[in-house]
Amino acid sequence: MTDTDAQPVPPAADRRPITRTHHGDTFEDPYEWLRAKDDAEVISYLEAENAYTDLRTAHLAGLREEVFQEIKGRTLETDLSVPVRRGEWWYYGRTVEGSQYGIQCRAPLASPDDWTPPVLSPDEAVPGEQILLDANVEAAGNEFFSLGSFEVSNDGERMLYGVDLAGDERYTVRVRDLKTGENLADEIPGTFSGATFSPDGRFIIYTTVDDAWRPDTVWLHEVGTPVTDDRKLFTEPDERYWVGAGFTRSDRYLVIGVGSSITSEEWLVDADDLTAEPRVIWPRKDGVEYSADHAVVDGEDVLYILHNDDALDFELVRVAASDPDGERHVVIAHRAGQRLLDVDTFRDWAVVGYRSGGLARLGMLDYASDEVRELQFDEPLYSAGTGSNAEWAPPLLRIGYGSFVTPGTVYDLDIATGELLLRKRQPVLGGYDPADYGQARVWATAQDGAEVPISLVWKRSFGDAGVAPRPLHLYGYGSYEHSIEPGFSVARLSELDRGVVFAVAHVRGGGEMGRQWYEDGKTLTKRNTFTDFVDCALHLIDGGYTTADRMVAEGGSAGGLLMGAVANLAPELFAGVLADVPFVDALTSILDPSLPLTVIEWDEWGDPLHDAEVYAYMKSYSPYENVREGVTYPKILAVTSLNDTRVLYVEPAKWVARLREVGADALLKCEMVAGHGGVSGRYNSWRERAFELAWLLDVLGLAAEAPDDASSAA
C-alpha cells in the first residue's frame, strides 16, 4: 500500500464491467461486484480501504484524541434523566462514567398525588430504586448493541426489550419478570423495532419484515405461549406500504398504521378484544395521509384526525370513533404555510404541533372551544416538542426544548397556570456559557427565486459571522420532509471553539417551510435540493461569511446523496465533503425492487424501473453515474457500515472507486460491525465523531489550532 517514496497508495478496485439496460439506455458499471457482501475478496477490499484511510489520517491521531477528550470532558458522564411518571413508578435512565450504554431504572412514587419528579443525584442511591435493564450487561461480549424495543407493562410487573447485536435492525424480543429479575421463556426473533404490551400485559404486539426489509405484518403473542402459536393480526401485501402498531394513550384502541411516503391508512382494534377484526378509519386514497388519536369529548369516544385531503398543509378534524367516515367537525382549518405536524391527545386537552416561519411550534388545544394557545419561547431560533408523557390525565405536560446555543432542556408545563417549570438543562462542563455563542438565520435566493433559509451558529470571540471570511461547515439533508431543527451539540463546540462557523442549509425536499417546500424537492423536482445547497454556499461566499477554500460540506444518508450531487455540480465551492452512509448509487438501488425498502422509496424518488422520464431524471443527478472527468474534486471522506440495511455499504464503496478514477482524493471508512446509525456505545460514537471532526478541521487548515479558551475542556 506504499510506493517507493513511502507514500500511501490507495487500493485499486478491479474493473469488472457489467451492463444494465433500461428504457433503451445502457450503463456500464465496473464496480457492481463489490455488492457481494459475503465474498472474502470484497471484505478484503474493504479492509484495505480502512487500512489506507488509517494511513492517510495517521497524522491526525493526536487531534482525534484531543477532540474526543473535549467531548468527554464537556459531558457529565455519570448522570440521570428526568424521571417520567407511569402508574406507581418514576422511570428514568442512568449513565455511569466508563460505561458505553445506559441503565434503565425506576423508583416508587412517594404518594398517588406525587406529580413532581424527584430531583435525583447521579452519585447517590435512590430510595427504592430498581434496575430494570443494564445495557452494558446485555451488550457484554458483543461489538454492537442496539435496543429497539423497551417497555414495562401497565401493572409494572413485566418488561419487554428487543436487542440487535449486528446492526441490521432485526431485534430479538425477550420478556422479564420484574419481581424475580428472571427472563421468561418467551423469545421472539426477527422483529422490527417497537414491540409493545397490551394494556392488560397479557399480550405483546410486534411487527416483522419481509425479504425486502419492509415491516409488513403485525402479530399478537400471548406471554407464556410458544411463538409458533402467535396470531397474525394484520398483513399488508402491497410492497409500497410499511406497517406499524401501537396503543392510544387512553389504552382504548390498538391502532395499526399502514403508510407510504404519500398515502396512509389506519385501522382500529378495541383493546379489550385484540382478536377482533380490525376496522378501517378511512379507506386509503392515493396521495392522502392521515393520523388519528383517541379522546373523549362530552362523554363520546372521538378521533382527532390530522389529514391532507384537499389540504396541502393538513387540517385537523374530529369524528365519532363509532363512525369515523361520518360527519367531520373541523377543529383547525387548513391554512397555507402553516404545516400541521401532529396532535397528541390527553383526557382533558390535546397538544398540537405545527410549523410556521421555519420553526416548529406547540399549542394547547381546548376540546370545548377548539382554541389553540401557542406556547411562547424567548429565542429567535429554537426547537420544542412534547417529551415523554405516559399518563392519560396528567396535570403537567413534559416538553423538550433547545437551540443551537441552549443545551437540551426539560420543562414541565403546569396546565392550570401555564407556567413552564424547569426540570433539567443538559450540563455542559468546562465553563460553557451560551452568551459566548451567537445564532442567526439568513436567506439565500435560489436560481428560481425561492428564498432558502440558512441557520448559523458561531463563537462570538472570533467576531460575528459575516464580518470577515471564516472557516465554515455547511450541513444539509433535504429529503422525506425531514426538518433540521436548531439543536445543541456538545461535539460541535470543538469546531466553534476553533473559529469554525456552523451552518445549516434548509434546502427544498425538507419540511422547514411547509409541505410545498417538500413537494418542490422530490421526484421530478429533486434537483432543487442540490441547486439550493449550491446557492446557499454561493450566498455564504458572496456575503463574506467564508471562501470556497475554507468551506466543508456534510450530509448523511439521503443527505449523502446531496453531498455526492453537489460535489459533481460545484466541486470548486468546497474544500472538503464529508458523506455519512451516503445514498450515492441511488439509481442502481431504486431500479432493484429486491433491495431493502426500494419499492417504498418510489414515492420519494419516482419509479425509474417503469417510468422512462424518472429514469432519465435520476440518471442526470445520481452521483455515481455523474462523476466528472477533468475537474478538481474537493477532498472527500465517505463513512459507511457493513451491516447497514438502509443505505448499503456498496454505494459509497463504488462511488469512492469511481472518484479515484478521475483523480479525486477520496477516503472510505467502513465500520465492519455497525448499522445505519454507525457504531454503538457512547464512547465509540464520540470517537467516531472525533475522527470525522479531526478530518474536517484538517481540511479547513485548523488541525494545529487550539481551542479558543477553557470552555472546550473539563
Side-chain angles (χ1 to χ4, degrees):
M1 194 169 294
T2 58
D3 62 19
T4 55
D5 297 323
Q7 295 298 316
V9 176
D14 290 344
R15 291 182 62 87
R16 303 176 189 175
I18 65 167
T19 59
R20 67 163 193 248
T21 300
H22 293 86
H23 309 293
D25 176 74
T26 297
F27 174 70
E28 186 178 274
D29 189 340
Y31 300 119
E32 178 63 13
W33 66 272
L34 290 171
R35 189 175 299 276
K37 177 182 175 182
D38 296 327
D39 189 321
E41 188 176 3
V42 172
I43 297 299
S44 178
Y45 173 77
L46 295 174
E47 290 172 341
E49 285 283 6
N50 284 340
Y52 173 67
T53 297
D54 287 344
L55 284 172
R56 287 290 310 280
T57 60
H59 66 292
L60 299 175
L63 179 58
R64 287 198 297 268
E65 183 62 25
E66 186 178 340
V67 172
F68 170 76
Q69 291 298 336
E70 289 167 11
I71 297 170
K72 185 171 178 286
R74 297 187 193 103
T75 303
L76 185 61
E77 296 178 68
T78 298
D79 201 4
L80 291 153
S81 66
V82 179
V84 174
R85 174 171 163 157
R86 183 164 178 248
E88 299 177 356
W89 300 85
W90 290 106
Y91 290 86
Y92 54 95
R94 281 186 176 273
T95 57
V96 177
E97 183 175 356
S99 296
Q100 290 274 18
Y101 302 100
I103 303 170
Q104 303 298 323
C105 310
R106 68 179 181 181
L109 300 181
S111 72
D113 297 326
D114 180 15
W115 287 97
T116 302
V119 179
L120 307 178
S121 170
D123 298 313
E124 297 178 5
V126 177
E129 179 177 89
Q130 181 181 10
I131 293 177
L132 303 176
L133 185 78
D134 186 339
N136 301 285
V137 174
E138 303 295 331
N142 296 284
E143 293 185 58
F144 184 90
F145 176 86
S146 176
L147 196 62
S149 303
F150 176 80
E151 187 175 81
V152 176
S153 58
N154 281 352
D155 61 11
E157 295 185 357
R158 290 172 174 167
M159 174 188 77
L160 67 78
Y161 63 104
V163 171
D164 167 19
L165 300 178
D168 60 5
E169 299 183 57
R170 286 189 177 178
Y171 302 88
T172 297
V173 172
R174 297 181 175 90
V175 182
R176 182 166 297 172
D177 185 320
L178 294 179
K179 290 183 178 179
T180 66
E182 299 295 325
N183 280 2
L184 305 182
D186 303 74
E187 186 170 296
I188 312 172
T191 74
F192 197 62
S193 60
T196 185
F197 278 114
S198 61
D200 59 8
R202 179 183 170 190
F203 297 99
I204 293 172
I205 291 84
Y206 66 94
T207 308
T208 56
V209 300
D210 63 11
D211 292 339
W213 233 266
R214 174 183 66 100
D216 70 329
T217 303
V218 179
W219 298 85
L220 184 69
H221 170 76
E222 185 171 2
V223 177
T225 66
V227 174
T228 52
D229 292 344
D230 289 357
R231 180 188 179 110
K232 186 184 296 186
L233 289 182
F234 187 94
T235 191
E236 174 55 53
D238 192 327
E239 294 179 334
R240 297 173 298 169
Y241 294 88
W242 50 260
V243 176
F247 287 92
T248 58
R249 179 177 282 104
S250 63
D251 284 337
R252 177 71 176 85
Y253 300 106
L254 173 69
V255 180
I256 298 172
V258 182
S260 70
S261 295
I262 62 171
T263 305
S264 61
E265 181 180 63
E266 292 189 345
W267 299 70
L268 291 182
V269 183
D270 287 353
D272 56 5
D273 185 9
L274 292 174
T275 61
E277 284 295 315
R279 56 188 177 94
V280 69
I281 296 177
W282 290 348
R284 73 185 70 173
K285 179 180 176 182
D286 191 47
V288 173
E289 300 170 65
Y290 71 89
S291 60
D293 208 350
H294 169 248
V296 179
V297 177
D298 295 331
E300 180 186 14
D301 285 322
V302 299
L303 300 175
Y304 280 85
I305 302 179
L306 204 65
H307 74 90
N308 68 340
D309 192 5
D310 294 324
L312 180 65
D313 281 307
F314 288 71
E315 75 172 3
L316 180 64
V317 300
R318 187 175 69 232
V319 300
S322 59
D323 183 21
D325 209 18
E327 181 181 357
R328 300 183 185 183
H329 169 74
V330 177
V331 178
I332 303 177
H334 172 260
R335 190 172 80 188
Q338 178 178 279
R339 169 69 162 94
L340 297 179
L341 299 172
D342 56 66
V343 59
D344 204 3
T345 57
F346 294 80
R347 187 188 67 184
D348 302 317
W349 37 266
V351 186
V352 180
Y354 50 102
R355 180 176 293 281
S356 64
L359 290 178
R361 305 172 189 273
L362 290 176
M364 303 301 299
L365 171 66
D366 181 85
Y367 287 150
S369 66
D370 293 339
E371 292 182 358
V372 176
R373 176 174 57 87
E374 184 173 309
L375 303 184
Q376 300 296 321
F377 301 97
D378 294 334
E379 295 180 275
L381 297 180
Y382 66 87
S383 57
T386 53
S388 297
N389 293 280
E391 294 286 348
W392 173 231
L396 306 170
L397 174 71
R398 180 65 51 85
I399 293 172
Y401 175 87
S403 76
F404 286 117
V405 300
T406 301
T409 303
V410 176
Y411 289 111
D412 277 342
L413 173 70
D414 188 314
I415 302 301
T417 66
E419 182 182 4
L420 279 174
L421 306 171
L422 176 63
R423 298 309 190 194
K424 183 172 183 176
R425 179 158 287 144
Q426 174 189 356
V428 183
L429 307 182
Y432 175 77
D433 185 350
D436 292 340
Y437 301 83
Q439 62 174 347
R441 179 161 286 176
V442 297
W443 300 80
T445 302
Q447 296 174 10
D448 62 359
E451 294 296 310
V452 184
I454 306 172
S455 295
L456 300 167
V457 57
W458 67 93
K459 190 164 190 180
R460 297 184 187 277
S461 61
F462 292 93
D464 282 340
V467 173
R470 299 257 297 277
L472 190 140
H473 176 185
L474 181 61
Y475 183 87
Y477 188 76
S479 292
Y480 302 107
E481 204 183 358
H482 176 68
S483 300
I484 306 300
E485 306 290 1
F488 184 79
S489 166
V490 164
R492 188 187 300 140
L493 295 178
S494 291
E495 299 180 77
L496 303 182
D497 288 352
R498 288 172 171 83
V500 177
V501 175
F502 180 79
V504 178
H506 301 283
V507 295
R508 281 175 284 187
E512 286 88 345
M513 301 297 292
R515 188 55 179 261
Q516 192 62 52
W517 199 249
Y518 168 52
E519 296 291 339
D520 289 344
K522 61 181 290 194
T523 56
L524 294 178
T525 59
K526 187 62 197 171
R527 291 181 67 90
N528 285 337
T529 302
F530 317 137
T531 55
D532 281 359
F533 193 88
V534 170
D535 291 333
C536 287
L538 287 169
H539 178 85
L540 294 169
I541 293 170
D542 294 343
Y545 293 90
T546 190
T547 55
D549 62 345
R550 305 182 78 189
M551 180 160 50
V552 169
E554 181 186 7
S557 194
L561 166 64
L562 171 62
M563 293 301 99
V566 300
N568 290 332
L569 283 173
E572 71 281 358
L573 294 184
F574 307 97
V577 169
L578 173 56
D580 286 301
V581 291
F583 186 42
V584 284
D585 191 18
L587 183 55
T588 302
S589 294
I590 298 300
L591 279 167
D592 187 351
S594 71
L595 291 178
L597 306 180
T598 287
V599 175
I600 292 175
E601 294 288 293
W602 285 346
D603 284 334
E604 181 73 18
W605 312 99
D607 175 6
L609 184 61
H610 303 102
D611 189 322
E613 183 183 13
V614 171
Y615 175 88
Y617 190 77
M618 288 194 70
K619 190 176 181 183
S620 75
Y621 69 70
S622 186
Y624 179 56
E625 284 89 342
N626 288 282
V627 170
R628 294 166 59 189
E629 304 278 353
V631 302
T632 300
Y633 275 90
K635 293 181 178 179
I636 290 173
L637 172 61
V639 179
T640 188
S641 299
L642 184 64
N643 294 330
D644 190 343
T645 58
R646 296 175 184 263
V647 178
L648 303 185
Y649 73 91
V650 67
E651 297 202 24
K654 291 168 61 176
W655 181 52
V656 166
R658 175 69 183 117
L659 285 165
R660 295 235 183 90
E661 286 186 344
V662 300
D665 183 358
L667 301 178
L668 176 68
K669 186 174 189 292
C670 181
E671 295 294 339
M672 304 306 284
V673 184
H676 192 63
V679 295
S680 67
R682 57 176 178 163
Y683 295 103
N684 292 339
S685 296
W686 296 346
R687 287 201 179 276
E688 182 70 18
R689 191 55 179 164
F691 179 93
E692 295 173 350
L693 290 179
W695 179 87
L696 184 150
L697 291 168
D698 188 41
V699 171
L700 291 174
L702 298 175
E705 297 294 322
D708 182 51
D709 57 33
S711 70
S712 63

